[in-house]
Amino acid sequence: MQNISKEDYLSAIYKHREIDGTIKANQIAEKLSISNAAVTDMLKKLANDGFVDYRRYKGIKLTNNGEEYAKNMVRRHRIWEVFLHQIVGMPWDKVHEEAHNLEHGASNELINRMEEMLDFPAFDPHGDPIPSKEGIVPKQKKNIPLGLLKEKGKVKVVRVNDFDEGFLNYLSKIGIELDKEIQVKEILEFDHSILIEVNGKETNISSTIAANIFVEEKKV
Ligand SMILES: [Zn+2]
């Protein structure tokens, strides 16, 4: 089994909260694919070290210290992702794993220099916000999951969930990337799949896929 570090726990809590609000111990276990007992042990340790506020059966909260720590880890991770994507030319489905291996090793100076070289990107290749050196988190434009769209028309991709390489790889195959314009042609009532057109090609995507793509509605 892979070694899961304190950093991984704190990042997981932080990232979950970015999207869904508070997190419970069993959700962390699920996210990191480890046992509930292992998570409980680590949470006690993190609480002792002052990184999380943890009470059984209640949600887990990052303390100010934990928040600062996690934010910096997430920042490092996402700057690496932009670097690997833009400079090295790696596809968006490959950068997460590589960035994960690199984020721990680099000095703050290297991260800051990379950020400057990349011209201070606000979002990573999946559309997740990159906290600044001062800890300021860029605001995402108003968006909704493609699956919750009520009307046909043009939309723009502003974020995708990055937890699964296969999912991201599939999106690339059908031409979906960040900032891409999608034409929604039909929303099928009976199975909630959606017929879209990208680059002049029609594809029917499942409701699961549509739930993990976030779009901004375009005014026509
Ligand atoms: Zn990412």
Side-chain angles (χ1 to χ4, degrees):
M1 197 177 78
Q2 75 185 121
N3 209 356
I4 297 163
S5 64
K6 168 180 107 186
E7 287 87 354
D8 296 333
Y9 276 87
L10 294 172
S11 300
I13 299 169
Y14 179 91
K15 280 191 280 190
H16 185 88
R17 204 218 33 216
E18 262 184 335
I19 297 165
D20 300 318
T22 51
I23 188 167
K24 299 232 166 72
N26 61 324
Q27 290 173 303
I28 301 183
E30 215 171 279
K31 260 189 199 269
L32 300 173
S33 318
I34 42 175
S35 71
N36 282 322
V39 171
T40 309
D41 277 356
M42 182 52 119
L43 285 174
K44 279 183 191 151
K45 221 177 279 170
L46 288 173
N48 268 338
D49 293 345
F51 288 112
V52 298
D53 198 348
Y54 168 55
R55 259 161 264 151
R56 230 160 205 255
Y57 309 116
K58 285 214 168 156
I60 295 144
K61 261 177 62 188
L62 292 170
T63 60
N64 285 344
N65 249 346
E67 172 88 18
E68 207 175 296
Y69 196 93
K71 214 188 247 181
N72 189 246
M73 285 313 298
V74 164
R75 164 180 159 78
R76 299 164 71 87
H77 182 93
R78 292 176 181 168
I79 289 176
W80 269 117
E81 283 193 350
V82 178
F83 181 85
L84 292 167
H85 189 58
Q86 272 184 26
I87 307 295
V88 184
M90 276 196 145
W92 71 350
D93 53 311
K94 293 276 189 294
V95 295
H96 182 82
E97 189 74 36
E98 292 286 351
H100 187 77
N101 293 329
L102 291 162
E103 70 194 21
H104 302 281
S107 68
N108 279 331
E109 189 189 349
L110 174 57
I111 296 290
N112 294 344
R113 280 176 185 256
M114 279 166 56
E115 182 188 33
E116 194 182 332
M117 176 189 170
L118 296 163
D119 202 18
F120 301 94
F123 299 96
D124 82 3
H126 312 107
D128 289 314
I130 302 175
S132 74
K133 217 177 354 186
E134 294 77 23
I136 295 160
V137 182
K139 277 250 177 327
Q140 187 76 263
K141 287 207 188 100
K142 208 170 154 248
N143 61 84
I144 58 165
L146 184 55
L148 292 185
L149 212 63
K150 293 275 177 288
E151 275 168 58
K152 295 183 262 186
K154 252 185 213 155
V155 293
K156 195 174 103 177
V157 179
V158 293
R159 187 172 74 75
V160 296
N161 275 333
D162 69 351
F163 55 76
D164 192 276
E165 272 184 39
F167 166 67
L168 292 172
N169 185 268
Y170 177 74
L171 293 188
S172 299
K173 265 192 207 144
I174 60 173
I176 292 181
E177 55 188 14
L178 210 61
D179 294 326
K180 190 74 168 182
E181 230 175 60
I182 296 178
Q183 184 80 39
V184 177
K185 307 208 89 171
E186 220 177 324
I187 302 167
L188 290 109
E189 281 296 328
F190 71 100
D191 69 345
H192 301 287
S193 68
I194 297 180
L195 183 67
I196 58 167
E197 188 187 306
V198 190
N199 301 331
K201 241 188 84 194
E202 285 190 357
T203 315
N204 182 270
I205 58 169
S206 71
S207 58
T208 310
I209 289 176
N212 287 290
I213 300 172
F214 298 83
V215 297
E216 192 190 305
E217 289 178 83
K218 297 203 88 174
K219 305 263 175 308
V220 189

